[in-house]
Every structure is written in structure tokens, then in C-alpha cells.
Amino acid sequence: MTAVLLTIDTELSPSAHKRGMAADENFQRAILGRVSDGEWGIEYQIERLNAYGLKGVFFVEVLSAEVVGLDLLKRTVAPILSAGHEVQLHIHTEWLEWVQHDPVDGRRGRSICNFGLDDQYRLLKHGIELMTAAGAPQPVAFRAGNYGANNDTLRALAKLGLQYDTSYNLCAPKQACRILYASELLDPAWIDGVIEIPVTCFADYLDHRRPAQICASSASELGFVMAESARLGRRTAVFVSHSFELLNRARTRANRLLVRRFERFCELLTRGDSIGCGFTALDYSALVNAVTAEKPLRSNTGRTLLRTAEQALGSVLY
């Protein structure tokens, strides 16, 4: 049985903060997705997940709480937990530019992998403290902002008692994700003391990889990833979205194409032989001993062409 993990990176915008946007407006747009034509962020996404009986995993960014206050983090965490979904740890180190209580003594980097092991440990430990102070349970899983983790990140997570990382993304820029493994990682694997669960990718043409992400793949491709993962007996299928993903690029209104895709994806998740779950429900011992697949999922030309046309239309309209 394939464990399907629908992960939603939930975060304020550091770039909007840098431009001078007020904290509450940043929260309204980036977290709640509250724009001119409605609300399309986490509360909308939670409502749709609940309507289909699905579980979401919200990777909530925590360092921003050092800048805008803990209250906004509490207002982010509370509706997720009260609706029965999972909160896990997410850190964007860009927020260090404005923190008052600096856990790394002025050292800076775009991603957590730009720091040494000791600094990564401090950042993760501080992140856990912020998360639990906001009312969330002790996390068991982590995703680095920008997918910017390395093997020291995994060592620091293991030292802190976290079981899972899901920062490995073959489609992320190589300078971002720096986790090293003996081969292309396509399935969960035990690395440096934690189980690394990669974001699911598939080959859409030749040897090009595409992530199983709401804004990057069509509903047909997402459905293919689910069905093919189950057929091949893959242990996990990790899908990605964001709290603001259903908005247009300017974050001023909904991207109706993506709203429909999210709805369709939720419908597809209720079918087939896969099971939607969170990290706390995974069979840890089975994943430790899992055999990693050697070949990527491979889509077909028809799906690729249809998605290309759909994305082009979306770019024009939204």
C-alpha cells in the first residue's frame, strides 16, 4: 500500500516583508489566501480536504514568528490542528535578516544548508521551540525552505529526535538541495540517522524530471503518479503545494485553473489503492528497511502536451 502524503508548505512571504508589507496583510495573503475574489489559502484547503475525508500535512514556517510575533504562528497552527490535520516543521532562514533573538550570532545564509552543523542544530532546536510554543505537537518531520538541506541537516535532525526529512527534490536547483546519496533517490532511504522521503518526481520527457506539485503538474499527471506509485508498490508518494499556491502570481486573485486542479486532485485521492496519511502514521520500521527504486515514474507525451497547453493558458489568464 502506497502512503500518500499531501504536503502544504505554509509560510509568510519574506520578500513581501522586505518590501514593507505589514505582518497582518502578509498573513492574510500568504497564509489565508484572502484576496479580491475570495479566500483560497489554508482554511479553504482544509475545508476541501475535509469534504473528501483527506488528511493534509502542513509544513509550517516558524522563524518568521521571531520577526512578526508568535500570535500569527498560533493563528496559523490552530485551524490546522483543530480540523485534524498534521503540522510539521519548516524553516526559511531568510527571516534571520530581521530577527531580534539571533540563534546563530549574526551568521546568514539563504537556506539552512549554508550553515554548519552546529548552527543547523541551533536553528532547528529554536524552530521546534517556536512551534511547540505556538501550540503544535513535537514535530517528527522537517522540510527545508527552498529544499535547501544537506547531510548535516539530517544529522542535526537525528540529534534532535526527528524521524523524517522530506527536503530531497530532484527538481529543485542543484545549488539548493545538497543532500548526497549513492544514487538518484526515488523512494525513502535511511540517510545519516533519519529517513529521507523524497518529493515524488516523474519523467515527463526524455530524462527531464517534474515534481508532483499542484502548480507544476496537471490533474492527469498527478493522478498518474498516484496510480503508478501504487502499481509499482512504491512506499510513499509525496505531493507538494503551498498555502498561497491557488493564487495568481501577483497574489491578488485566485488562479481558477489551479483551484479546479486542487479539487480534481482531492477527488482522485479518494480512489485507487493508495492511502492518504501523515508522517505520524507511517510505518517507520518498514521504511528503514525499504528497497529504493532504481527507475523514475515515466509519464507519456500526451499528458505532457496537455499540461503544457494548460499551463500556457493559465499564464495568459492568471
Side-chain angles (χ1 to χ4, degrees), residues 2 9 47 56 93-94 99 123 162 165 171 177 264 281 289 311:
T2 301
D9 290 0
E47 187 275 326
T93 55
E94 297 99 316
V99 296
L123 287 166
L162 276 76
D165 180 74
C171 303
C177 184
R264 175 64 175 151
N289 300 308
Q311 298 289 76

Side-chain angles (χ1 to χ4, degrees), residues 51-82:
Y52 285 95
L54 302 171
K55 189 178 186 73
V57 179
F58 292 78
F59 279 95
V60 177
E61 204 290 318
V62 292
L63 278 188
S64 55
E66 277 285 6
V67 180
V68 302
L70 193 64
D71 181 62
L72 289 184
L73 184 57
K74 290 179 178 178
R75 289 166 61 188
T76 301
V77 165
I80 298 169
L81 295 177
S82 64

Side-chain angles (χ1 to χ4, degrees), residues 271-306:
R271 304 177 183 178
D273 298 323
S274 301
I275 181 169
C277 68
F279 286 87
T280 54
L282 293 176
D283 186 339
Y284 180 79
S285 59
L287 291 175
V288 167
N289 300 308
V291 176
T292 301
E294 296 181 355
K295 294 182 179 180
L297 306 176
R298 187 168 295 278
S299 188
N300 61 37
T301 305
R303 290 191 199 94
T304 302
L305 292 174
L306 284 172

Side-chain angles (χ1 to χ4, degrees), residues 170-183:
L170 283 166
C171 303
K174 292 188 182 303
Q175 66 270 25
C177 184
R178 300 181 184 179
I179 297 171
L180 301 178
Y181 189 64
S183 60

Side-chain angles (χ1 to χ4, degrees), residues 90-169:
H90 189 46
I91 286 178
H92 270 274
T93 55
E94 297 99 316
W95 286 99
L96 289 170
E97 183 178 341
W98 306 286
V99 296
Q100 293 182 339
H101 304 96
D102 190 343
V104 290
D105 301 323
R107 289 178 287 279
R108 298 291 179 261
R110 183 173 186 270
S111 299
I112 198 167
C113 66
N114 300 131
F115 297 82
L117 175 59
D118 289 344
D119 279 350
Q120 291 199 46
Y121 177 86
R122 292 188 190 98
L123 287 166
L124 291 164
K125 184 174 185 292
H126 189 53
I128 293 168
E129 290 167 353
L130 289 167
M131 174 172 280
T132 55
Q138 187 82 5
V140 301
F142 174 71
R143 175 175 289 152
N146 312 311
Y147 304 104
N150 62 9
N151 293 68
D152 277 346
T153 313
L154 308 187
R155 296 181 186 107
L157 290 170
K159 191 175 179 182
L160 286 161
L162 276 76
Q163 295 175 300
Y164 304 104
D165 180 74
T166 182
S167 305
Y168 189 97
N169 185 349

Side-chain angles (χ1 to χ4, degrees), residues 9-278:
D9 290 0
T10 304
E11 57 200 37
L12 297 173
S13 168
S15 59
H17 179 80
K18 190 171 187 175
R19 294 194 304 269
M21 181 180 286
D24 192 65
E25 183 180 356
N26 200 340
F27 175 77
Q28 297 292 329
R29 289 201 187 190
I31 303 293
L32 297 182
R34 191 169 289 164
V35 288
S36 61
D37 59 350
E39 188 171 309
W40 310 98
I42 61 167
E43 293 189 356
Y44 170 80
Q45 293 163 25
I46 287 168
E47 187 275 326
R48 297 320 299 151
L49 291 174
N50 287 352
Y52 285 95
L54 302 171
K55 189 178 186 73
V57 179
F58 292 78
F59 279 95
V60 177
E61 204 290 318
V62 292
L63 278 188
S64 55
E66 277 285 6
V67 180
V68 302
L70 193 64
D71 181 62
L72 289 184
L73 184 57
K74 290 179 178 178
R75 289 166 61 188
T76 301
V77 165
I80 298 169
L81 295 177
S82 64
H85 299 282
E86 197 169 278
V87 170
Q88 298 295 351
L89 183 64
H90 189 46
I91 286 178
H92 270 274
T93 55
E94 297 99 316
W95 286 99
L96 289 170
E97 183 178 341
W98 306 286
V99 296
Q100 293 182 339
H101 304 96
D102 190 343
V104 290
D105 301 323
R107 289 178 287 279
R108 298 291 179 261
R110 183 173 186 270
S111 299
I112 198 167
C113 66
N114 300 131
F115 297 82
L117 175 59
D118 289 344
D119 279 350
Q120 291 199 46
Y121 177 86
R122 292 188 190 98
L123 287 166
L124 291 164
K125 184 174 185 292
H126 189 53
I128 293 168
E129 290 167 353
L130 289 167
M131 174 172 280
T132 55
Q138 187 82 5
V140 301
F142 174 71
R143 175 175 289 152
N146 312 311
Y147 304 104
N150 62 9
N151 293 68
D152 277 346
T153 313
L154 308 187
R155 296 181 186 107
L157 290 170
K159 191 175 179 182
L160 286 161
L162 276 76
Q163 295 175 300
Y164 304 104
D165 180 74
T166 182
S167 305
Y168 189 97
N169 185 349
L170 283 166
C171 303
K174 292 188 182 303
Q175 66 270 25
C177 184
R178 300 181 184 179
I179 297 171
L180 301 178
Y181 189 64
S183 60
E184 190 176 75
L185 188 60
L186 303 171
D187 267 338
W190 176 261
I191 308 175
D192 291 317
V194 300
I195 296 176
E196 181 62 40
I197 303 182
V199 172
T200 300
C201 299
F202 61 96
D204 56 349
Y205 60 87
L206 299 177
D207 287 324
H208 181 265
R209 303 287 186 266
R210 195 158 193 87
Q213 182 168 347
I214 300 295
C215 72
S217 303
S218 67
S220 174
E221 288 170 320
L222 296 171
F224 156 77
V225 167
M226 240 180 334
E228 192 69 355
S229 296
R231 186 184 73 82
L232 295 173
R234 295 287 177 88
R235 298 282 185 166
T236 59
V238 179
F239 297 87
V240 177
S241 187
H242 290 80
S243 51
F244 50 79
E245 189 142 333
L246 304 185
L247 302 181
N248 67 349
R249 288 183 182 177
R251 298 188 191 173
T252 56
R253 61 191 177 102
N255 181 326
R256 299 285 176 169
L257 185 150
L258 294 180
V259 171
R260 287 192 294 272
R261 186 182 294 172
F262 184 80
E263 183 81 17
R264 175 64 175 151
F265 179 59
C266 288
E267 181 186 344
L268 289 169
L269 275 172
T270 64
R271 304 177 183 178
D273 298 323
S274 301
I275 181 169
C277 68

